[in-house]
Amino acid sequence: MSPTSSVSAAPSAGDRSALPVVAVIGAYGHTGRFVVAELLSRGMTPLLVGRNRSGLDALRELAPDAPVRVATTEDAASLDRALDGAAAVINCAGPFLATAPAVAEAALRAGLPYLDVSAEQGVTAALFDTYADEAREAGVVLVPSLAFYGGLGDLLATAALGDWLDADEITLAYGLDSWHPTPGTRLTGESNAGQHLTYTGGRLQPFGYSPDVFPWRFPEPLGSQDASAFPSAEQVTLPRHVRTPEVRAVMNLVPLQDIRAEDTPAPVPADGSGRSAQTFLVEAVVRRGQETRRAVAGGRDIYAVTAPLVVEAVARILDGRCKATGVAAAGEAFDAGSFLRALTPEHLTRLDLPADADRSAQRTSAGTPRNVRR
């Protein structure tokens, strides 16, 4: 994560003492800065937390009135002090393999909702397996992988499912015009090398790293492109609340070639918001028997769009529009259709949902299994 990323500050909100305070761990990282800006724009007070005081001080231009606290994941007491007075915690500090357990435990000790923007499959699976019972008993919700990779696809697939409680297959198709990785993405890739997963045959299995390339028909304007299998966090989250034996993800080759090339540069701001010019299109395809349902979302900058996703989730948790306790996937915790529509048109410039997408709100009360185990 780069502490030098440019994100414009929201106008001053005057006295913020009565506004919800949300702790942002890793606030000075590339994605963290977008999250801080989004919290400010939504009328919340970011509490800036990180291990580097100089990095936190550099955020003063963005959030001059925000409280600042230094903490490390190796020091539980420092995390406890850092979270004092917060209403929720957003973990933006990767690699999450090193930070998520410590921050989640601190949130549980404080009785606070925990959300993270991890795309790391193993970490997300571990949070479900390790903290589900403790969080449910405490009446606290933990929502991992609420980001472009993870939360967006989970919400799209849930909206596409509508009133279905199960599916024969769920596919997430990622179409990007490019992928300029941040230093944090590079570091995460190194720390998770060889540990990726796929969900097939009703269980998580090691990802095959197959070089197979196949044609894939993306929605316009991308159209038909060469694609390859891709390990994504939805392969962990979706089977936790949807009965299905298969969840797969595919991506067109251009961004995969970008991320594999060592000389692909980091994203460059293309406007005053700090967003890059990179665009994306994500399609969720759910199949049951001979019937298929689809949902599509498009927008700009895969890192920047994470901020409105996770901040919308925080807002819904704090105002009582969260349907879950324990560890929950995005589509399980929130009404998928209304959540996604709330992000248009500012953050999602394209959103195509089935007419019955809002019926996803009925799925939990109708008997959808929570945290499905196989």
Side-chain angles (χ1 to χ4, degrees):
M1 298 180 182
S2 171
T4 62
S5 304
S6 172
V7 183
S8 59
S12 173
D15 180 10
R16 311 187 68 88
S17 60
L19 301 175
V21 176
V22 179
V24 183
I25 312 296
Y28 48 74
H30 185 90
T31 301
R33 291 177 65 91
F34 283 117
V35 170
V36 169
E38 184 68 18
L39 287 168
L40 290 169
S41 75
R42 294 287 297 265
M44 302 185 209
T45 298
L47 193 168
L48 313 179
V49 183
R51 64 171 59 242
N52 186 314
R53 180 70 196 213
S54 63
L56 294 170
D57 287 341
L59 284 174
R60 287 301 187 189
E61 182 179 355
L62 173 62
D65 300 322
V68 171
R69 295 178 187 165
V70 176
T72 69
T73 54
E74 296 85 3
D75 183 349
S78 74
L79 281 175
D80 292 342
R81 290 191 297 270
L83 300 187
D84 183 40
V89 183
I90 301 175
N91 184 10
C92 298
F96 294 87
L97 185 66
T99 69
V103 179
E105 289 170 10
L108 284 170
R109 288 194 298 272
L112 300 178
Y114 166 93
L115 306 92
D116 69 39
V117 298
S118 168
E120 298 173 41
Q121 296 171 305
V123 173
T124 298
L127 288 175
F128 276 100
D129 293 339
T130 305
Y131 302 110
D133 293 340
E134 181 181 353
R136 191 175 301 114
E137 290 170 5
V140 173
V141 64
L142 279 64
V143 189
S145 291
L146 225 165
F148 174 77
Y149 294 116
L152 179 57
D154 195 287
L155 288 161
L156 281 171
T158 304
L161 283 160
D163 59 347
W164 287 359
L165 300 180
D166 57 80
D168 295 333
E169 181 181 72
I170 301 174
T171 301
L172 281 305
Y174 288 95
L176 281 63
D177 69 345
S178 61
W179 187 353
H180 290 252
T182 65
T185 297
R186 294 286 196 196
L187 185 59
T188 296
E190 294 171 4
S191 67
N192 284 264
Q195 302 180 49
H196 296 116
L197 304 167
T198 188
Y199 188 84
T200 185
R203 62 188 181 93
L204 284 169
Q205 302 186 41
F207 185 68
Y209 298 98
S210 169
D212 291 349
V213 174
F214 45 82
W216 190 267
R217 182 72 185 180
F218 289 91
E220 295 298 336
L222 290 179
S224 183
Q225 297 202 18
D226 287 339
S228 187
F230 176 72
S232 190
E234 296 93 337
Q235 293 168 294
V236 175
T237 63
L238 278 166
R240 298 288 177 157
H241 66 107
V242 179
R243 289 192 294 262
T244 183
E246 301 288 332
V247 180
R248 65 172 178 156
V250 303
M251 181 177 283
N252 59 324
L253 287 190
V254 171
L256 290 175
Q257 292 166 346
D258 284 343
I259 195 71
R260 291 166 183 163
E262 295 182 359
D263 59 349
T264 301
V268 176
D271 61 26
S273 74
R275 293 186 303 172
S276 73
Q278 175 267 323
T279 61
F280 64 82
L281 196 66
V282 183
E283 181 178 35
V285 183
V286 300
R287 181 181 60 81
R288 189 169 71 170
Q290 299 302 308
E291 187 175 355
T292 298
R293 294 177 176 178
R294 301 172 185 270
V296 180
R300 211 181 95 200
D301 195 325
I302 64 174
Y303 297 102
V305 79
T306 288
L309 281 163
V310 73
V311 173
E312 177 69 19
V314 166
R316 288 176 179 244
I317 290 171
L318 295 181
D319 69 15
R321 287 180 292 163
C322 177
K323 302 183 294 181
T325 56
V327 185
E332 177 184 10
F334 310 105
D335 176 73
S338 70
F339 190 113
L340 291 166
R341 290 188 182 100
L343 303 183
T344 60
E346 181 178 2
H347 304 294
L348 295 178
T349 55
R350 173 177 178 178
L351 183 64
D352 305 332
L353 300 181
D356 63 350
D358 288 328
R359 285 193 289 170
S360 62
Q362 305 169 10
R363 296 171 68 250
T364 299
S365 59
T368 301
R370 298 195 71 247
N371 297 336
V372 177
R373 306 291 176 86
R374 289 176 174 82

